[in-house]
């Protein structure tokens, strides 16, 4: 009989509380994080216009080097230091 290997992570972790919701995006630093998937740049460009025009957000961009692995520590550290909110684009 063959052994089956599950691709799912079955480790148990303590649940994390969600980040507090911002009362407004006006003047807030919002980073649009691309994971480099096809069409994510187009999606984020449209989202940038809406967030800046309609909600007064100050937009910056960041990108993971590849969508096949977690973001490197320096990307995470930079985004956390310069953002009030992050939107990650998962698009195809």
């Amino acid at each position: 009989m063959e052994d089956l290997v599950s691709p799912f992570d079955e480790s148990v972790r303590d649940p994390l509380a969600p980040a507090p919701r911002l009362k407004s995006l006006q003047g807030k630093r919002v980073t649009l994080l691309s994971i480099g998937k096809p069409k994510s740049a187009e999606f984020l460009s449209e989202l940038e216009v809406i967030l800046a025009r309609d909600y007064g957000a100050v937009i910056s961009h960041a990108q993971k080097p590849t969508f096949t692995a977690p973001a490197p520590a320096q990307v995470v550290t930079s985004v956390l230091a310069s953002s009030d909110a992050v939107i990650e684009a998962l698009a195809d």
Side-chain angles (χ1 to χ4, degrees), residues 55-78:
Y55 298 95
V58 178
I59 306 298
S60 64
H61 292 266
Q63 181 158 348
K64 287 177 43 179
T66 177
F67 64 84
T68 61
Q74 66 268 24
V75 172
V76 174
T77 301
S78 173

Side-chain angles (χ1 to χ4, degrees), residues 33-46 61 63 88-92:
L33 177 62
S34 172
I35 67 166
K37 296 279 276 190
K39 301 294 185 186
S40 63
E42 292 85 348
F43 170 72
L44 290 174
S45 291
E46 291 297 319
H61 292 266
Q63 181 158 348
E88 185 175 13
L90 306 171
D92 264 330

Side-chain angles (χ1 to χ4, degrees), residues 22-30 51 55-58 84-85 87:
L22 297 173
K23 294 183 189 310
S24 167
L25 291 178
Q26 183 67 40
K28 298 295 184 189
R29 302 167 303 160
V30 177
L51 291 172
Y55 298 95
V58 178
D84 297 306
I87 298 172

